Amino acid sequence: ADGAQGGNSQLPKSALEGFMVSPKLLDLLRSILSSSASTTKSSPSANAAGGGKLLLQSNCEDVALWMLEAATRAGFQSTDMTVPRTEEQVRALNLDKLPQRTQNWVAMGGDRAVGDTWSAVPLIPRRGSTETEVACRLNKTPIHRCLLTPKLNREAS
């Protein structure tokens, strides 16, 4: 896209064309994380699905919700968060501080990343923060995070 048109020219054309989180990638991740069962069974952090976990996070709420939906279709299940994002926290957000994309999503009545699936706090140590996380922390904009595990028996969703 031309810079004169505004927006991020790095964004994919559609959810399935050029988007980093593709069904193929999710299938591969599920396979790898599921196969980690044989190497993590003795680990105290191992879970029923084999110990592997997938962290999904985005500063764009609609993207985070889409990734969760795509991962669920690919055979992942969400993990309840210790500190879930509440309705009150979402209502308290300053809409003017949200990315324009998220403002548009909210104005259209899109679903919100709220409830036990969504973490209100970072899930990786601060020193491991991405550039986007640092920018969001400085600008006081939310990051939408969820943690997933592969289902033991992948069933059609």
Side-chain angles (χ1 to χ4, degrees), residues 84-96:
R85 176 164 287 144
T86 65
E87 292 279 351
E88 294 77 27
Q89 290 168 326
V90 170
R91 281 195 298 271
L93 293 173
N94 180 349
L95 288 179
D96 293 336

Side-chain angles (χ1 to χ4, degrees), residues 8 20 70 98 111 121 125 142:
N8 186 342
M20 185 183 299
L98 298 177
D111 290 338
V121 297

Side-chain angles (χ1 to χ4, degrees), residues 94-121:
N94 180 349
L95 288 179
D96 293 336
K97 291 271 188 179
L98 298 177
Q100 186 63 49
R101 177 187 182 114
T102 299
Q103 290 180 38
N104 295 345
W105 177 255
V106 171
M108 291 185 322
D111 290 338
R112 304 303 306 270
V114 65
D116 292 339
T117 297
W118 300 99
S119 181
V121 297

Side-chain angles (χ1 to χ4, degrees), residues 3-152:
Q5 295 174 350
N8 186 342
S9 64
Q10 302 297 315
L11 291 174
K13 292 180 174 90
S14 74
L16 295 176
E17 184 182 339
F19 190 62
M20 185 183 299
V21 180
S22 67
K24 183 177 179 179
L25 175 63
L26 289 167
D27 284 341
L28 178 62
L29 289 169
R30 184 185 173 284
S31 175
I32 291 168
L33 294 174
S34 294
S35 69
S36 69
S38 61
T39 60
T40 60
K41 280 194 190 238
S42 62
S43 167
S45 65
N47 63 37
K53 294 182 174 129
L54 174 62
L55 169 63
L56 295 178
Q57 61 183 26
S58 177
N59 63 322
C60 295
E61 197 162 6
D62 64 309
V63 171
L65 289 157
W66 185 89
M67 289 190 301
L68 173 60
E69 182 181 320
T72 301
R73 282 193 310 268
F76 284 90
Q77 59 191 6
S78 61
T79 301
D80 284 351
M81 295 291 104
T82 305
V83 183
R85 176 164 287 144
T86 65
E87 292 279 351
E88 294 77 27
Q89 290 168 326
V90 170
R91 281 195 298 271
L93 293 173
N94 180 349
L95 288 179
D96 293 336
K97 291 271 188 179
L98 298 177
Q100 186 63 49
R101 177 187 182 114
T102 299
Q103 290 180 38
N104 295 345
W105 177 255
V106 171
M108 291 185 322
D111 290 338
R112 304 303 306 270
V114 65
D116 292 339
T117 297
W118 300 99
S119 181
V121 297
L123 298 174
I124 55 176
R126 191 175 179 128
R127 69 175 173 246
S129 296
T130 65
E131 291 177 32
T132 299
E133 286 177 287
V134 172
C136 288
R137 191 167 42 248
L138 293 172
N139 293 320
K140 297 183 176 16
T141 57
I143 294 183
H144 313 283
R145 306 170 177 89
C146 62
L147 195 60
L148 309 171
T149 57
K151 292 179 184 174
L152 284 176

